[in-house]
Amino acid sequence: MIKALKVRLYPDESQKILLEKHFGSCRFVYNHFLDIRNKYYAEHRKDRKKGLTVFDTMKMLTSLKKEKVWLNEINSQSLQHSLVELDKAFRSFFKKNTDYPNFRSKKDNQYFIVSSGFKKDGKKLIIPKFTEGIGYRDGSPIPENIKQIVVARDVDRYFASIHYESDDETHKGRGIIGIDIGIKSFLTTSDGLKIEPLNALRKREKRLKRQQKKLSRKVKGSENRNRQIVRVQKIHQKIRDMRTDFGHKVSTAIAKHYGTVVIEDLNVQGMQRNHHPAKSIADQGWYQFRKMIEYKLQWRDAEIVEIGRFDPSSKICSRCGNTKHELKLSDRVYHCDACGLTMDRDLNAAINIRNIGLIKVGKGIPELTPVESATAAELSKGGLRVATL
Ligand SMILES: [Zn+2]
């Protein structure tokens, strides 16, 4: 199935100029050939020849480019696409589906279409004529099987709508999973998967704190301070990259296997644990992960169910429902005095989260499902620290 993903583009100044030239030239070509087709249509409408074909106009475009040399600065596919669109407008008119085609105005939506020759290069999207690649918003993974890209401007912002062939099947009706988010562990799932934060990321976070402290001691306006600012920025950047990569690996592995993911409301979680020093850092990673998993589930018609603060997931026994009031944050194992259940604390919480989610979506609580071993294998292959409980 063909799906679309819209990403924000961040062109530099010279790229902006070239983008504007593309918008303008595609509009010019459309209007130029609309004029030609208008005349042809007016002359021939009586003898039932309805108009020029798209191939006629493409041939004419080749000679037009010799006359208007500036058109050679523009990706020729995009110019040809204007002709295809013009042809579509005429066909639709001939079928009496739409009115006679209109000229395009500068006030209309500005866009052009690229149908091949694109590549992704790190955080840049390379399209023909833009050899350096245009930066795009981080956090949006560019899909593999791109069929077409529509580049558009909305006032002063640029976007690319990426149309791609997706082999995602629908996950509606697939299994349900509860996720407990943590500080010690990144997350624990209700089927017993524990994912640890990256050691390398932790190290960098510590380094960031050290360097930030150093920065606060530097004299304002000094050369020393400027150098330190750059140092801090670079660590920030590295942390962002690592966190994004980590988030993608984990969210993809989970979204691939489930139809419903139950998760606690993040703000509430933060409020309950805000005495913890690692909170803000953990929260940033979580917020991003939450977004990633949400759109990856959407791709597959899967759903995310959020549960709120009145569901004390960590204190309830997932087997008998007894509430343990004296559970401390340092207690890593949950032991139920009523039924004797002894279980990893986060796993117990994750099972409760899933069960509350099941009630929310109107299903009963099923038997415990076995560990999704495919997910675990995939993540450890990606270099992540994974344990099955
Ligand atoms: Zn119990």
Side-chain angles (χ1 to χ4, degrees), residues 41-49:
Y41 179 70
E43 274 173 36
H44 294 90
R45 61 187 302 179
K46 276 179 204 151
D47 52 23
R48 293 183 67 203
K49 267 195 238 162

Side-chain angles (χ1 to χ4, degrees), residues 7-26:
V7 297
R8 173 102 185 254
L9 295 177
Y10 295 93
D12 61 27
E13 289 311 310
S14 67
Q15 288 173 335
K16 276 183 194 169
I17 294 170
L18 191 52
L19 284 170
E20 291 303 326
K21 282 181 180 172
H22 271 73
F23 296 139
S25 301
C26 288

Side-chain angles (χ1 to χ4, degrees), residues 40 44 46 75 124 147 160 250 255 275 285 309 314 316 330 338 349-350 377:
Y40 188 95
H44 294 90
K46 276 179 204 151
N75 180 3
K124 289 194 168 173
K147 297 291 169 199
V250 177
H275 54 277
R309 78 156 113 179
S314 57
I316 297 172
S330 57

Side-chain angles (χ1 to χ4, degrees), residues 13 24 38 41 43-45 67 79 132 163 177 183 196 226 233 255 266 272 306 329 339 346 367 375 379 389:
E13 289 311 310
N38 279 347
Y41 179 70
E43 274 173 36
H44 294 90
R45 61 187 302 179
E67 198 184 308
L79 297 177
E132 292 287 306
H163 300 252
I177 193 178
I183 290 163
E196 302 298 338
N226 292 340
Q233 281 171 342
L266 275 188
Q272 286 168 347
E306 218 168 40
L329 201 64
C339 75
D346 299 333
E367 288 295 298
T375 314
L379 286 168
L389 302 168

Side-chain angles (χ1 to χ4, degrees), residues 7-11 19 125 134-137 151-152 157-160:
V7 297
R8 173 102 185 254
L9 295 177
Y10 295 93
L19 284 170
L125 186 63
I134 306 173
Y136 64 91
R137 164 101 147 258
V151 180
R157 292 176 168 187
Y158 298 87
F159 295 94

Side-chain angles (χ1 to χ4, degrees), residues 317 320 322 336 338-339 341:
C317 169
C320 73
N322 184 45
C336 176
C339 75
L341 173 82

